[in-house]
Amino acid sequence: MHLVLTLSLFGFAYWKGDWKNWKKYILTIHYVIICNLLYNYFCHDYLLWQHKGEIFPNKHFIIDLAYTFVNLPAVTLLFLTYYPYFKTKIKQGKYILYWVIGSILIEFPFVFFKRLTFKNGYEHWMDLLFYTVMYAMIRLNFTRPIRSYFFSVIIIVFMIWYFKIPLQ
């Protein structure tokens, strides 16, 4: 399932992404990669969500590398390519909401077939908040990177505190 999603996202991003202007998006793609790597660094012994694969069922790290370097950059490129920058705030909010709902719908079969599990106090309903914050932060990083770094630190500290993630 993870491989099919990765190949699909890669293909769709290749087909529909704004590759002509890839330099415009690269810093935000790096931001998303760094955020996911930070999650894996801080939570390596205390995962909040864990991927399980068909080929490597107990190798969250291998699957997450594909998510870090293919899936998330593809999603970021597609999200920013079609973002309604010059539309009303309501249309921008709806756009983010569509992406949140789409992400949850795509994630549902992974949860149903136990290819994605939630642990250590993180629950599936929290993904509604997670994806909302994620897409809002991608958008913020694209236009105001320094502000997004500031809010990212606050979000990371909050999540470490809320989920009681042990730092060692």
Side-chain angles (χ1 to χ4, degrees):
M1 287 179 71
H2 294 287
L3 182 59
V4 169
L5 177 63
T6 299
L7 293 173
S8 298
L9 282 172
F10 179 79
F12 200 67
Y14 181 78
W15 179 44
K16 289 292 198 178
D18 183 15
W19 288 101
K20 179 174 38 174
N21 297 306
W22 69 270
K23 289 180 183 178
K24 186 166 74 170
Y25 307 110
I26 196 67
L27 292 178
T28 302
I29 290 171
H30 287 159
Y31 165 78
V32 171
I33 289 170
I34 289 167
C35 287
N36 202 52
L37 290 173
L38 281 173
Y39 160 72
N40 280 290
Y41 174 77
F42 285 126
C43 297
H44 70 280
D45 290 329
Y46 196 84
L47 295 171
L48 301 178
W49 53 84
Q50 184 173 14
H51 302 290
K52 294 183 189 262
E54 298 79 27
I55 300 169
F56 303 108
N58 298 318
K59 300 294 184 188
H60 164 84
F61 181 71
I62 292 171
I63 296 167
D64 207 61
L65 283 176
Y67 276 74
T68 301
F69 294 107
V70 179
N71 296 25
L72 290 172
V75 165
T76 302
L77 177 65
L78 290 166
F79 175 77
L80 293 174
T81 295
Y82 296 99
Y83 192 87
Y85 297 101
F86 304 108
K87 303 287 183 178
T88 65
K89 295 290 181 196
I90 291 173
K91 288 191 180 188
Q92 292 179 29
K94 283 182 181 178
Y95 182 79
I96 290 173
L97 182 62
Y98 293 144
W99 276 82
V100 169
I101 292 168
S103 297
I104 289 172
L105 290 174
I106 289 170
E107 182 181 88
F108 180 77
F110 290 87
V111 174
F112 184 80
F113 290 109
K114 304 210 181 323
R115 298 294 179 223
L116 174 64
T117 57
F118 302 106
K119 306 166 82 167
N120 297 314
Y122 192 89
E123 298 178 29
H124 193 217
W125 68 266
M126 294 177 177
D127 272 352
L128 181 64
L129 297 171
F130 175 81
Y131 284 124
T132 303
V133 170
M134 181 183 92
Y135 288 118
M137 292 301 293
I138 288 171
R139 170 62 171 98
L140 182 63
N141 181 270
F142 186 67
T143 56
R144 305 219 188 303
I146 301 300
R147 193 174 292 175
S148 74
Y149 302 143
F150 173 75
F151 286 122
S152 294
V153 169
I154 291 171
I155 292 165
I156 290 169
V157 169
F158 172 77
M159 290 188 75
I160 289 170
W161 169 79
Y162 185 83
F163 291 105
K164 298 172 181 57
I165 297 169
L167 300 177
Q168 297 168 349

